[in-house]
Amino acid sequence: MGKKHVYLFGGGSAEGAGESKDLLGGKGAGLAQMSELGIPVPPGFTITTEVCNYYQAHEGIYPEALAAEFGAQLEALEKLGGRRFGDPAEPLLLSVRSGSKFSMPGMMDTVLNLGLNQEIVEAQIVAGVDARYIRDCFRRLVTMYGDVVLGVPHEEFERVLAGARERAGAKSDAELSADALAELTERYLELIASAGEPLPEKPIDQLWGAVSAVFDSWNVRRAREYRRLHGIPDDLGTAVNVQMMVFGNRGEDCATGVAFTRDPSTGEPRIYGEYLVNAQGEDVVAGIRTPLSIAPVDGAAGLGVEFPVAYAELERVCALLEDERRDMQDVEFTIEAGKLYMLQTRDGKRTGTAATQIAVDMVEEGRIDRATALTRVTGAQLVQLLAPEFDVAEKRQAIEAGRLLATGLAAGPGAASGRIALTAERAAEMALAGPVLLVRDETSPEDIVGMHASVGILTSRGGMTSHAAVVARGMGKPCIVGAGALMVSSEKGEMRVDGRVLREGDELSIDGTTGEVIAGELSAQPSQVLRSLLDGASDDSGLVAAARRLLGWADEARRLGVRANADTPEDARVARALGAEGIGLCRTEHMFFEEDRLPWVRQVILTPEAAQRAEALAHLLPVQQSDFEGILEAMDGLPVTIRLLDPPLHEFLPRGEKSVNSLAERMGLAPQAILDAVESMAEFNPMLGHRGCRLGLTHPDIYDMQVEAIARATCALVARGFDPRPEIMVPLVGTEEEMARLRERTAAVVGRVLAEMKCSFEIPIGTMIDVPRAALVADRIARHADFFSFGTNDLTQMTYGYSRDDVASFLPQFVDQGILPADPFEQLDVEGVGQLVALACERGRETKPDLKIGICGEHGGDPSSIRFFDSCDLDYVSCSPYRVPVARLAAARSSLHREAGTPERK
Amino acid sequence: MGKKHVYLFGGGSAEGAGESKDLLGGKGAGLAQMSELGIPVPPGFTITTEVCNYYQAHEGIYPEALAAEFGAQLEALEKLGGRRFGDPAEPLLLSVRSGSKFSMPGMMDTVLNLGLNQEIVEAQIVAGVDARYIRDCFRRLVTMYGDVVLGVPHEEFERVLAGARERAGAKSDAELSADALAELTERYLELIASAGEPLPEKPIDQLWGAVSAVFDSWNVRRAREYRRLHGIPDDLGTAVNVQMMVFGNRGEDCATGVAFTRDPSTGEPRIYGEYLVNAQGEDVVAGIRTPLSIAPVDGAAGLGVEFPVAYAELERVCALLEDERRDMQDVEFTIEAGKLYMLQTRDGKRTGTAATQIAVDMVEEGRIDRATALTRVTGAQLVQLLAPEFDVAEKRQAIEAGRLLATGLAAGPGAASGRIALTAERAAEMALAGPVLLVRDETSPEDIVGMHASVGILTSRGGMTSHAAVVARGMGKPCIVGAGALMVSSEKGEMRVDGRVLREGDELSIDGTTGEVIAGELSAQPSQVLRSLLDGASDDSGLVAAARRLLGWADEARRLGVRANADTPEDARVARALGAEGIGLCRTEHMFFEEDRLPWVRQVILTPEAAQRAEALAHLLPVQQSDFEGILEAMDGLPVTIRLLDPPLHEFLPRGEKSVNSLAERMGLAPQAILDAVESMAEFNPMLGHRGCRLGLTHPDIYDMQVEAIARATCALVARGFDPRPEIMVPLVGTEEEMARLRERTAAVVGRVLAEMKCSFEIPIGTMIDVPRAALVADRIARHADFFSFGTNDLTQMTYGYSRDDVASFLPQFVDQGILPADPFEQLDVEGVGQLVALACERGRETKPDLKIGICGEHGGDPSSIRFFDSCDLDYVSCSPYRVPVARLAAARSSLHREAGTPERK
């Protein structure tokens, strides 16, 4: 017996119960599960993802056994439904929906009402079926089939529909009469025929056409793009669900809706969703008509009042689904003649706030354990909780000044300011120059890249489950939808609201937490959760408490240490408040740029005279010492890795006439001498120039001063009863000899100070691994290093040959076009740069099995990179202070992932 | 029984006969061999290198058994010599000389005449020994011991000696009377005593002091530096040779000299050397007195006339040594009372000319086989044969114009022009700015680094075997010594000659082949050998014929292919004439810089308008096609790897006002628009910027045009009956996706042209491996590449993080200080960059076992790098046309090395 290709469900049981989402897709598995649980589900069958893969691999040919199996299951379905497909007297109408393992909103296509043609419609009307209803069904079939299967642009149907509404003087489709619908359908059919292939007459041809269209749609560009952006493999395939229609558009006792079992914005445990009376499901999702809230709100009665029986059943079903599936669900339903039918259940997308609240609530409800809770909140979601909010006073002033343009649905929390872009393409272009807000009537899958490029999304139409809302929440971007006061015209390059005109490129602000659209730029401030973590105050707010608990569980679960990159005592305090267990990177060059120090720094660099150099360094020593004291005190008892001077010296040189003259005077030189020196130190490629430990070797007195300042700061703090734990890090080491010499020299300076101060402690001396060669010879460098810390920014620059300052001219394009899977400066390139990281860990530990290894590049705060660093058994990651909570969570999720036994390390 | 530490030789036999140079050092092994062959050698013994290593490892303590063994061998020596050490009546006088495995000229120290003190000297005079002779011996002992063992600066003895000569009115030391020498010795002893430790009274203390001084000298800074520069391991150790003195300073029937068994400049098979009558060996080597030629020359009679018996014996010994040692020998000898004694034999250093001539001659003489001949000529020596010579007419004019300043000894062939540096330190500094000639009275080991930094060396004193001459020949640098007309004053920063003054920094030229010193700069031209190879003419000249034969043997012996980097038909022809088997790198950007093309190139870059771009590209297409036709025709039947455009686009942009305005006019734009575009394309780190295949992907029309030009050129040549073999190379690939897309696009363009032209051939499409990431993912890139070619310049830049344009501020210092063993842009960094090369080869071949792999960076012409590339089983190296002969030889030597079974590949 061959493989089973088609799985039947309905009538209280399912052939596919217990089969995986891999085989049946998310939708098919959910339907099978609901059917098995006795939840009212219209019967149907699922064609497996394996058929999809076969179809893709064989250029559109199906497995030989499929046709017979399909026919048998269609017959079984006819029995369950009590109607026959294509029968003019009692026609079985079917829907065809795609459903792969992962939900891909808007990517895959749906065709409803299959099984109708002119003849059947007329026969049904003759048999007494409501003419308006059956003609509405047919015109919907024609539109969807024309669009999805035959490729006639959706907008052309809309245009024809708008004409029909105008002729009929109708405001909405619901006002169109049966005759108007008949005429509309006629025009649709003409439109299709004029564009090429006509609508198949025979229902069975329609059915196969729709099934094939689903499989074909797996491979269209926008689907491939979505998968690429979300890291979904191409060979996963989609299943196809063929299901008996139930009708939300059969009259005023019918409806269709979508619901979340909890609020997807806040996590509040109540059914949250929207419905439309006398409509079919696509009307809700497409965001064309603005739907009603299921909960009573703003004078609307809510589903519970309008459809009390169905609502009670929905409440029962939602609770049952949460019990069984142990997560918040996103369901689709239809009410036909007052009776509830469930069409889909899946784990619901949610904001960071909701994810945190739901995860913690479900632990309390006993539905999940702590480890599961940690897997339910992604780093990106936690980022949303910590995302900035507008300054409250500034926003109030702006509103009082009349800058509030409109209020829409708060579809994605967070605050964003940026320049208006009216098409996705423009958004992607403009994003190269600065933050962009994408403003559209509605968004569609074609806009994905532009949405990625934008800091926030605003639409004039659609509801909380419209494409824009769902996708923006997934991306963690602030989003407002359904701001109906906006008139957006991308052709004219402007949007109008209340008589005001804003043009593309104008500044705009949106508050995705409140739904406010405000003209001009607004400054943002830390979120409530962030403020509370920083204050360290115990707070009653449910969300803050939930976030604290979740992070506490994360700290229990993680193996990786988390440190922060911080250069000032203030940054160090922030980092510590957010849970940093030390400083992984304290850059000393930032201290050199302060106004009272820069002239001395310049003197060191420019003078060849030993006395002048010594004088300048003597001035810098106490201020550096005080810098280090401040940071070490703030991190008392925790390690602080201090990196010796790294950038090219000419970064410190004077540029303007004024600073040149003042420096010349100070040093007793002619201004031209300063200019000559500046000129002589200019570099063609400073990134690859005379910097880092190369400076330390050619200008040893600078490092000597810095090391002395560190040692003296440590002695001073010890004398004051503190427990300072400095670590000295040498940057840009490429050879064993460099490290050996600098280690020797550094240790000698430390030893000299300790002897002088009669102090005794160890200061570990280690190195950045930020040059490819260092990774290659890590075994040798480790002989002289107490620790390694990967500088993945520079390592990425040199491994790719990409200057971070210059990549804007091609890198965004490379990411958009899929030449690069992601920006390697945001997400560590595991395939390439990762090899060097893994190699350096392996070789370093060959020499010193207990070598401490961390990472202090930007990637230290990126969850997917953190998982890789964990797989390399790094000791800690270090990231910017505000990313520390994210890193704590990501480290915990990585530990859980590893415990689950997924082997990741090469 | 323990290890033997001391080996006796003399009287026709040697305990160490057949022992290795590792154990006895080069000098000790040569003395043992000569003794065994019955060659007259004063008896002595050798203390092994193992004793040296023990001594170094135990902080100056000797093995316990040494003292007894030393005593026994000293007694044996006394028997052989018929005298007793320290006996006032018949004192045995001894020399102590170092001798490690490799000769290190000037590095190690010698003490002669050990075994004398005041008492013995006086006793000898009483016993009738010539007072002047014995006092001369003693004062030499005092000088050398004071200098070498006790560390009193040589110059202070010279100063005292000069005073003595002045008082005595003597021009040379030989004119000093016995009494004058006695007084001089007295002053020497005072000088030593005033500086610290006095001269030991007891001869045995002197002897041990001298032995220990040799061992100590192994570890002084200059010795370590020499070893580092020559790659000699520190644990090799030196042996010490204690030998009975014979006296070249005992009267007019005595002499001392050095000789080569063949001419070390030309290879001519005749004894070549110098001697001094009534002198000791160090006088010749030190270059203090200008010695006489052994061959009769310029009116001097020569050794054969002055010492006929000894000369006949020397001829016999030289022939015997060449028979036995199968190489040209460098010997030291002393004639005492007319009888010849050999003090040393070693393989002689020689110029490239001599090396080539001798290697080929010795094959003809049946002394060595062809493989051995190839091991006798290094790449550096072949470089000398190909080194430029001054333009004959220009030099004649310069001489007629009175610019000939002096003529000295032609100690190192080749022509060099540069700025005068009067100290080694200044030479090293000035070399950063341009070519430097080091001009000194004489050179010493302290000058090594400055000599390395100079393009040529000129001294006013010394002979062909002086330090300057020997070291310069070893380095392959043009050198003139003994140009006595020069008065060099480094204190005043000038040199005077014949009333003219040249200052440090002035231009000077030296012809090391003729000995001419010429004021000002002269332009150079290809050498005779190079011209002959280029002309392809058969030439009677012995040297040219020898070079041709040697290169022919190299071609038979090598596995590696040799190609050239050439961008023009002319370069291609040169490369082919010099033996290139193809072009490994044809850069297309150089063609873009030509004056008639640049405006079109600029138009392509600057215009956003498709029509203007297309117009410009249409103009460039035929000229690129004609470029490629020229090169492919010149390399008919051989592969030509054409690299698509590589550098950042802004390199092509206009800079001056004039070119901006003219371009603006041409393109119908405002000049400011051009300036803005130029500004917007500027990069902070162009090396890591928008270049190479990144341009190919963002500006695909440029690569399309280049590929089309290649395909059309190929079709045109096929139509004309040629056999063009282009290969298309994509630069700067870092990811599989880049290569996959560019391969697809390139193949499509080629296919289109072939179809249009009705032509049929394959054009391989491959990639540079010049980004570290490309090496790491070479297995994936190889899926889409027909070949790899390592761009080791960029690979080195990115692996080290060194910008080649910017390293001058630290890299020379790093090399000098031993932080880097060599400039990694000259000699491939096998330890680091080499790992990436080896990895890419391994992974590339995992994917495609027959993947063709070459290298086209500068390292393709460097012999030591070539050996590494051979060990990676590369298919070919590609270097600049004039390096092709060197690469052919280096490839052959590498093959022979591998056959000899030294495993090198990791």
Side-chain angles (χ1 to χ4, degrees), chain A residues 682-691 693-695 697-698 732 734-738 741 771-774 776-777 779-780 797-807 809-810 813-814 817-820 829-833 835-836 839 843 906, chain B residues 682-691 693-695 697-699 732 734-738 741 771-774 776-777 779-780 797-807 809-810 813-814 817-820 829-833 835-836 839 843:
Chain A
E683 296 189 309
F684 292 97
N685 298 285
M687 191 57 64
L688 305 179
H690 193 168
R691 53 180 283 241
C693 75
R694 299 164 198 171
L695 279 176
L697 288 158
T698 58
L732 222 72
T735 71
E736 179 184 3
E737 191 68 21
E738 287 170 337
R741 291 189 189 204
V771 169
R773 196 179 189 283
L776 294 167
V777 300
D779 47 341
R780 291 163 177 264
Q797 293 199 93
M798 294 178 198
T799 305
Y800 270 98
Y802 287 167
S803 160
R804 217 177 159 174
D805 296 327
D806 300 311
V807 287
S809 58
F810 62 92
Q813 196 175 332
F814 273 29
Q817 295 178 358
I819 298 173
L820 290 174
D829 162 42
V830 170
E831 182 181 285
V833 179
Q835 282 193 49
L836 291 176
L839 191 78
R843 296 202 174 159
K906 288 202 178 184
Chain B
E683 296 188 309
F684 292 98
N685 298 286
M687 190 59 63
L688 306 177
H690 193 168
R691 53 180 284 242
C693 76
R694 299 164 198 171
L695 279 177
L697 287 159
T698 58
H699 294 65
L732 222 70
T735 71
E736 179 184 3
E737 191 66 23
E738 288 170 335
R741 293 191 187 202
V771 169
R773 196 178 189 284
L776 294 167
V777 300
D779 46 343
R780 291 162 177 265
Q797 293 198 98
M798 294 178 198
T799 304
Y800 270 97
Y802 287 168
S803 159
R804 216 177 161 176
D805 296 326
D806 300 311
V807 287
S809 57
F810 62 92
Q813 196 175 332
F814 273 29
Q817 295 178 357
I819 298 174
L820 290 174
D829 162 42
V830 171
E831 183 181 283
V833 180
Q835 283 192 49
L836 290 176
L839 191 77
R843 297 204 172 156

Side-chain angles (χ1 to χ4, degrees), chain B residues 379 554 861-864 866-867 870 885-895:
Chain B
D862 172 64
S864 86
I866 288 171
R867 189 179 284 194
D870 194 14
V886 175
R888 288 159 68 193
L889 176 63
R893 288 165 56 93
S894 177
S895 284

Side-chain angles (χ1 to χ4, degrees), chain A residues 766-796:
Chain A
T767 181
M768 296 272 272
I769 301 285
D770 49 357
V771 169
R773 196 179 189 283
L776 294 167
V777 300
D779 47 341
R780 291 163 177 264
I781 290 174
R783 293 175 190 158
H784 316 282
D786 297 322
F787 61 87
F788 282 176
S789 178
F790 287 100
T792 49
N793 300 350
D794 273 3
L795 195 60
T796 298

Side-chain angles (χ1 to χ4, degrees), chain A residues 677-761:
Chain A
V678 171
E679 170 75 13
S680 78
M681 296 179 88
E683 296 189 309
F684 292 97
N685 298 285
M687 191 57 64
L688 305 179
H690 193 168
R691 53 180 283 241
C693 75
R694 299 164 198 171
L695 279 176
L697 288 158
T698 58
H699 294 64
D701 46 2
I702 299 178
Y703 274 17
D704 286 354
M705 181 276 290
Q706 295 197 300
V707 172
E708 182 169 345
I710 293 166
R712 287 190 183 278
T714 308
C715 292
L717 284 173
V718 168
R720 287 166 53 207
F722 286 96
D723 176 18
R725 300 198 181 172
E727 304 175 332
I728 297 177
M729 180 157 71
V730 182
L732 222 72
V733 166
T735 71
E736 179 184 3
E737 191 68 21
E738 287 170 337
M739 188 63 207
R741 291 189 189 204
L742 286 169
R743 190 208 165 87
E744 190 182 333
R745 186 154 186 137
T746 301
V749 173
V750 170
R752 177 166 60 71
V753 174
L754 295 193
E756 187 193 318
M757 307 292 286
K758 299 193 175 42
C759 219
S760 165
F761 46 80

Side-chain angles (χ1 to χ4, degrees), chain A residues 8-15 31-32 34-44 76-77 79-81 243-244 341:
Chain A
L8 192 71
F9 59 83
S13 72
E15 291 176 356
L31 288 167
M34 287 195 289
S35 207
E36 189 77 8
L37 287 170
I39 292 171
V41 168
L77 183 54
K79 266 180 212 153
L80 280 170
Q243 195 174 12
M244 194 178 88
Y341 294 92

Side-chain angles (χ1 to χ4, degrees), chain A residues 105-107 226 230 349 443-445 448 451-452 457 466-477 479:
Chain A
M107 285 284 130
Y226 184 92
H230 291 78
K349 287 192 189 296
T443 63
S444 68
I448 290 275
M451 293 172 81
H452 255 288
I457 293 131
S466 64
H467 179 266
V470 171
V471 173
R473 278 199 297 272
M475 291 178 178
K477 301 206 188 248
C479 177

